[in-house]
Amino acid sequence: MAKVEHILLESDVRQVPDPRNARTVHAKIEFCSRLRRRILELEIIDYYYLSVRSHSRTGLLEYVLDLRFVDAPRRFRHISWRWISFSLVVVVLASGIAAKIDPSATPWRHDWLPACVAAILVWAFATLIGVYRTTETVYLLSTHGAARLLECTGGLGTLRALQRFMVKLAAHIRLASGARRPTKAEHLRDEMREHLRLREIGVLSAGQYETAKVRILDQHSRAAHAPRPIDVNGSVKACHPNATLSNPHHS
């Protein structure tokens, strides 16, 4: 019989602030991706939260992320090597054809001239496609669920445009990590609740939510069965994050 583990979602309920009524806005940026026809507005509010407004062809999506449950920003660059390689092959071919044209004869009447012009046009087209398909992405994952909570994809220059904001966001994520619950098991229950909230408002799909839930349950099972530290007398000690070590031989 398959083992089933249940988690009671009792946690310190922290009300997610309304972006329109935020007390403090620490940083904001508006990024327009012509490549994806999307406008993304990001605001770090009230120290521990990220407000997201995404305008795209499918409509408007607004939500707030609790940075206690968000991992550090990640970056990814996709280079269209196929089109770049094809462009290099074509430019070499165009150079070879140009070398066949006799400079002593009338160039515009040479038999190889149409082929050379066609190769140059194909090279220009392939280069544009290679640049268009080369993308840069910044995305956020949940800490233990590894669910993709935010994704910003654009052309070349996207990472540079978002760099300063992402540095501030990473600092606030580190700040928010200090406001987590004292034990890992309690934090995992809070993170489960946060995933459920994001599922209900449409940020996560049903499949993403279920996958994240399995990962969190696996982490919770490990935390629940983790061995407790044992002192020199052989007794089991309670593990507390604020506990300090002392020498038992000193009074």
XYZ file of all heavy atoms in Angstrom, residues 80 83 124-134:
105
model
N 21.029 31.157 -30.590
C 20.558 30.393 -31.742
C 21.753 29.959 -32.592
O 22.071 30.568 -33.633
C 19.587 31.251 -32.574
O 19.091 30.519 -33.662
N 21.196 29.055 -36.551
C 21.113 30.160 -37.499
C 22.439 30.897 -37.611
O 22.817 31.359 -38.694
C 19.995 31.118 -37.097
C 18.642 30.612 -37.463
C 17.749 29.996 -36.653
C 18.049 30.652 -38.760
N 16.616 29.652 -37.360
C 16.772 30.045 -38.652
C 18.445 31.141 -39.995
C 15.903 29.924 -39.734
C 17.585 31.031 -41.091
C 16.336 30.427 -40.955
N 22.207 38.054 -44.846
C 21.578 39.107 -44.046
C 20.314 38.586 -43.352
O 20.074 38.864 -42.171
C 21.246 40.312 -44.925
N 19.518 37.792 -44.094
C 18.290 37.242 -43.518
C 18.602 36.266 -42.387
O 17.988 36.314 -41.314
C 17.488 36.533 -44.615
C 16.241 35.864 -44.122
C 15.103 36.597 -43.814
C 16.198 34.482 -43.955
C 13.954 35.982 -43.357
C 15.054 33.859 -43.495
C 13.935 34.613 -43.200
N 19.581 35.399 -42.592
C 19.953 34.413 -41.563
C 20.515 35.109 -40.327
O 20.256 34.677 -39.187
C 20.975 33.428 -42.133
N 21.269 36.188 -40.509
C 21.819 36.914 -39.368
C 20.706 37.551 -38.543
O 20.726 37.495 -37.304
C 22.793 38.002 -39.848
O 23.848 37.378 -40.601
C 23.389 38.759 -38.670
N 19.718 38.140 -39.212
C 18.594 38.743 -38.491
C 17.803 37.698 -37.713
O 17.410 37.935 -36.562
C 17.680 39.474 -39.485
C 18.240 40.773 -40.090
C 17.286 41.319 -41.139
C 18.500 41.800 -39.007
N 17.570 36.538 -38.322
C 16.850 35.475 -37.626
C 17.646 34.979 -36.427
O 17.097 34.717 -35.344
C 16.545 34.303 -38.579
C 15.581 34.754 -39.680
C 15.956 33.128 -37.809
C 14.213 35.156 -39.166
N 18.969 34.851 -36.580
C 19.815 34.410 -35.474
C 19.771 35.378 -34.306
O 19.701 34.963 -33.143
N 19.796 36.686 -34.604
C 19.715 37.685 -33.538
C 18.334 37.653 -32.892
O 18.207 37.759 -31.666
C 20.021 39.083 -34.101
C 19.746 40.157 -33.055
C 21.473 39.162 -34.567
N 17.280 37.493 -33.686
C 15.914 37.472 -33.156
C 15.688 36.275 -32.234
O 15.034 36.405 -31.191
C 14.927 37.431 -34.314
C 13.479 37.352 -33.887
C 12.785 38.483 -33.497
C 12.808 36.132 -33.863
C 11.458 38.418 -33.102
C 11.481 36.052 -33.469
C 10.819 37.194 -33.090
O 9.509 37.109 -32.685
N 16.239 35.138 -32.605
C 16.020 33.925 -31.824
C 17.003 33.755 -30.665
O 16.880 32.806 -29.892
C 16.088 32.697 -32.740
C 14.942 32.648 -33.727
C 14.742 31.259 -34.273
N 13.530 31.142 -35.061
C 13.058 29.998 -35.543
N 13.716 28.875 -35.311
N 11.961 29.962 -36.252
N 17.946 34.653 -30.538
C 18.821 34.651 -29.375
C 18.130 35.439 -28.276
O 17.862 36.636 -28.431
C 20.182 35.281 -29.710
O 20.836 34.475 -30.708
C 21.064 35.356 -28.476
